[in-house]
Amino acid sequence: MLLQSERGSWRGGLRHRSHCSSPKIASPDSVTPVVRSISSTSSETESGSDDESFSVVTREGAKKEVACDSKVVYEFGGPVGVTALMFGFPILMSYMFICLALHQGRLPNPLELEFWQHGISAITPTARATAIYLMFNLFQYITAATLPGIKVLGLPVPSLGGKQLEYLCNGVATWYFDLVLVAVLHNTGVFPITAVVDEIGPIMSVAMIWAIVVTIATYIVGCVSGRTHRMSGSVPYDIFMGAVLNPRIGNVDLKMWSEIRIPWKILFFISLSAAVKDHEINVARRLEAGLSPEIWSLFGGLIHMNAIQTSAPLLFMLLAHCLYVNACMKGEECIPTTWDIFYEKWGYMLIFWNLAGVPFSYCYSTLYLLNRSVANDPVQHTRFFMTVLFVILLAAYYHGNKLLTGGWWGVARKIHYTADLIMALSWGLVTGFDSYIPYFYVTFFTVVLIHRVGRDHIHCKEKYGADFDEYCRQVPYIFIPFIF
C-alpha cells in the first residue's frame, strides 16, 4: 500500500530522488565501491543535485541486495497470523459497512445472528454491481496499457540478475480521461455517478470476492509456471505475501496498476458520488419546502447553474480524496522505485487491500456523512471549525509533497508519515465524534506505519550497520521532532 507522501522510496535507509532518476545498473562484481556519508544526505536533498553515491550500487551493496531479496522473514504473526488476517479483513469490512448502512455508525454486537440476518442484504452482490466493478477494472487496464505517458526504469531486480524493468507511467493522462468520461456519462444520463454510492455495499462485496479470486489465481499460475520467488514453504503465508514478484499482462505491471489505478480512483469516485447524491437530496428538500432552487450567475451572467447544495463536510472529503488520487497520478513515475514494487510480491496483502480494502474502508467517513444526510440528520460544524480543517488538510498535503525534496529527514526519520497521519485524522474529525467508524482509517493507518518503521529499521540495520546506528543517533526522532 502506497502513501500520499511516497514519491520516492526509503530502500536500505537511502532515499531515491523525488524526480525519480533511475539508478545505474550494476553487477556485484563490476562496481567500484562508493563511500556514502550520512551527513551528505541533507545537503543532497536540499540542493536537488543528483549525487552519484545515491544512484550507483556498490559491490558490497549489491551482495546485500541479493541477500535481502532472497531472505524469508515471517511477518504479521507468520502463517497463523496471516490466516487470521485473510479471514478477518472481509468479515471486518462487512461488519463496518452494515454498521454504517443500517445502524448510523453504531457498533452492535457482531456475534448476534440478527445483526447479520438484517444486514446481509445490504452487501449481497448484484449483477449491476458486478458489471460496474469489473468494467471499471477492465477500463483501467486498457487505459494503463494504451494512453501516452513516460517510460521509467525500476530498480535493478536481484532475482533477475540486476535487470531493470520498464514501467509506462501514464497516470495523469488516464486520470484526466476518467474525469472527462465520468462527466459525459453522468450529464447524458448514461451512467449517473450516484449509481456508485447507490450500489456501494454490493460493489464492495464484488471487490472482495474478486480480490480473493485474483489472489488464488495468481498463486496457482505462479506455482505452475515456475515463476515463484522467495517462497517460505507455508501455503497460507505464501498466498498472503504472494508467489510472484513482477506479474505482468502485456506492458502493464499488475502490481503497480493495482496500487495506483484501482484503489485511489475508486475512493475518489465514491466521494464524488456521495457529494452529488447529497446535493440532489438537499435540492429535493428545498423544493419540498416550497423554496426555489438557488442559482449562481457566473462570469458576468454568461453561465447560470444551480448552487452546490452539498454539505461542507462532504465537500471536505471530496477534496481530501481528490488530492490523494491527484498526488498518486502525478507522482506515478516515482512509484517503480518504492519498496512495494521492488520487494513485495503480489499476494493477498497487496491484492486484497488495493482492490477492495483501501477503496471500501478508507471511504467510511464519506459514507457516514452521506448516511447522516439521508436520515435528515446531517453532520454540521461551525464555519470556523471547517476552515481550520481545510487549512490542516491543505497544509498536511503540501508538506507531504515537499518533504521528499527538503531536508526534513535531519529532524525526524519518518516525518513524511506525520503529514499522512494528520490528513488521516482530519478525515475523522470532519465527521464529529458520534461514531468510531470514521476513525478506523487513522487507527489502522497508525498500526501500518508503526509496522513499517520497525521493518525499515531492521532492513537498514542489516544493510548499513554502524552507519545506520550513527544516522539514528543524529536523528533520534521518528514521527514528531523532540517528542517521538
Side-chain angles (χ1 to χ4, degrees):
M1 180 185 69
L2 294 172
L3 311 181
Q4 182 274 331
S5 62
E6 289 181 319
R7 293 296 175 277
S9 66
W10 264 96
R11 269 196 50 247
L14 295 178
R15 182 177 59 79
H16 287 277
R17 295 292 299 133
S18 63
H19 49 77
C20 314
S21 56
S22 297
K24 291 180 171 59
I25 302 174
S27 66
D29 299 320
S30 63
V31 179
T32 302
V34 178
V35 177
R36 299 183 177 185
S37 170
I38 292 295
S39 61
S40 68
T41 60
S42 178
S43 61
E44 184 272 335
T45 57
E46 291 173 355
S47 66
S49 63
D50 284 319
D51 192 329
E52 287 294 306
S53 67
F54 284 83
S55 59
V56 179
V57 182
T58 66
R59 181 186 299 113
E60 186 63 26
K63 292 179 179 179
K64 289 183 178 180
E65 292 284 13
V66 172
C68 176
D69 186 60
S70 60
K71 183 179 180 180
V72 176
V73 178
Y74 277 152
E75 299 182 77
F76 308 105
V80 174
V82 299
T83 300
L85 291 175
M86 287 190 286
F87 282 99
F89 276 143
I91 295 174
L92 178 62
M93 289 175 60
S94 299
Y95 171 74
M96 291 286 198
F97 181 83
I98 294 174
C99 289
L100 287 171
L102 303 181
H103 300 277
Q104 290 296 304
R106 296 186 297 275
L107 301 174
N109 185 353
L111 300 180
E112 292 182 356
L113 181 61
E114 183 180 2
F115 172 84
W116 296 101
Q117 288 176 333
H118 290 166
I120 197 68
S121 61
I123 59 174
T124 301
T126 63
R128 189 186 190 200
T130 302
I132 291 173
Y133 182 77
L134 294 184
M135 288 297 291
F136 178 82
N137 276 256
L138 177 61
F139 179 76
Q140 291 303 316
Y141 173 82
I142 293 173
T143 57
T146 59
L147 291 188
I150 63 173
K151 294 182 179 180
V152 175
L153 292 178
L155 296 172
V157 182
S159 60
L160 298 179
K163 178 181 178 180
Q164 292 175 277
L165 300 177
E166 185 177 82
Y167 298 84
L168 174 61
C169 299
N170 55 8
V172 173
T174 69
W175 170 228
Y176 292 141
F177 191 87
D178 290 344
L179 293 177
V180 172
L181 181 60
V182 167
V184 171
L185 293 177
H186 176 75
N187 287 293
T188 58
V190 174
F191 183 80
I193 190 62
T194 51
V196 174
V197 79
D198 288 340
E199 293 279 344
I200 190 66
I203 293 175
M204 178 192 71
S205 294
V206 171
M208 292 193 294
I209 294 170
W210 178 244
I212 293 171
V213 169
V214 172
T215 296
I216 296 174
T218 302
Y219 177 80
I220 292 174
V221 170
C223 292
V224 172
S225 64
R227 295 176 55 200
T228 59
H229 177 67
R230 205 188 314 118
M231 302 293 276
S232 70
S234 167
V235 173
Y237 191 78
D238 289 332
I239 289 177
F240 182 85
M241 299 301 293
V244 182
L245 182 61
N246 303 112
R248 294 191 168 212
I249 297 180
N251 65 337
V252 177
D253 182 275
L254 295 179
K255 188 164 56 173
M256 191 170 89
W257 169 81
S258 69
E259 291 210 357
I260 301 301
R261 305 308 173 83
I262 302 303
W264 309 114
K265 288 186 176 183
I266 291 180
L267 183 63
F268 169 76
F269 288 125
I270 289 173
S271 285
L272 178 62
S273 177
V276 174
K277 183 79 171 182
D278 187 51
H279 167 81
E280 294 179 350
I281 290 172
N282 292 328
V283 169
R285 284 175 179 157
R286 284 181 60 88
L287 294 176
E288 291 175 1
L291 300 175
S292 299
E294 184 180 349
I295 304 298
W296 285 348
S297 179
L298 306 176
F299 304 108
L302 294 176
I303 298 177
H304 297 277
M305 61 176 289
N306 290 332
I308 297 175
Q309 298 295 324
T310 303
S311 68
L314 270 171
L315 288 176
F316 175 89
M317 291 309 306
L318 180 61
L319 174 62
H321 293 161
C322 179
L323 293 175
Y324 224 113
V325 68
N326 187 66
C328 287
M329 296 306 108
K330 291 186 175 180
E332 186 185 32
E333 68 270 18
C334 296
I335 302 303
T337 59
T338 59
W339 181 261
D340 280 1
I341 304 303
F342 167 76
Y343 180 83
E344 300 289 11
K345 296 178 293 180
W346 207 46
Y348 181 97
M349 180 178 71
L350 294 184
I351 295 173
F352 183 88
W353 203 245
N354 285 311
L355 298 186
V358 167
F360 298 102
S361 64
Y362 288 14
C363 67
Y364 287 157
S365 294
T366 296
L367 297 183
Y368 176 77
L369 291 169
L370 179 62
N371 290 339
R372 287 281 298 267
S373 177
V374 170
N376 204 16
D377 180 29
V379 173
Q380 296 178 324
H381 300 296
T382 65
R383 183 173 298 180
F384 174 77
F385 182 77
M386 286 305 307
T387 300
V388 170
L389 284 184
F390 274 106
V391 170
I392 290 174
L393 174 68
L394 293 172
Y397 173 81
Y398 173 77
H399 286 293
N401 282 313
K402 296 298 288 184
L403 286 172
L404 286 169
T405 57
W408 292 88
W409 276 271
V411 180
R413 302 199 297 274
K414 299 292 182 180
I415 197 170
H416 57 299
Y417 287 166
T418 305
D420 284 310
L421 285 171
I422 291 172
M423 285 189 287
L425 179 59
S426 72
W427 296 10
L429 292 174
V430 78
T431 67
F433 302 97
D434 291 333
S435 173
Y436 160 74
I437 295 179
Y439 292 89
F440 169 80
Y441 170 50
V442 69
T443 303
F444 173 80
F445 203 36
T446 301
V447 173
V448 168
L449 293 186
I450 291 174
H451 171 263
R452 285 192 174 195
V453 168
R455 182 180 64 175
D456 289 353
H457 187 92
I458 292 173
H459 286 310
C460 293
K461 174 66 177 176
E462 289 181 350
K463 184 171 182 179
Y464 294 103
D467 284 342
F468 184 68
D469 290 337
E470 175 61 17
Y471 170 65
C472 291
R473 188 192 67 78
Q474 292 185 23
V475 188
Y477 303 102
I478 299 175
F479 293 124
I480 307 173
F482 310 110
I483 297 177
F484 176 69

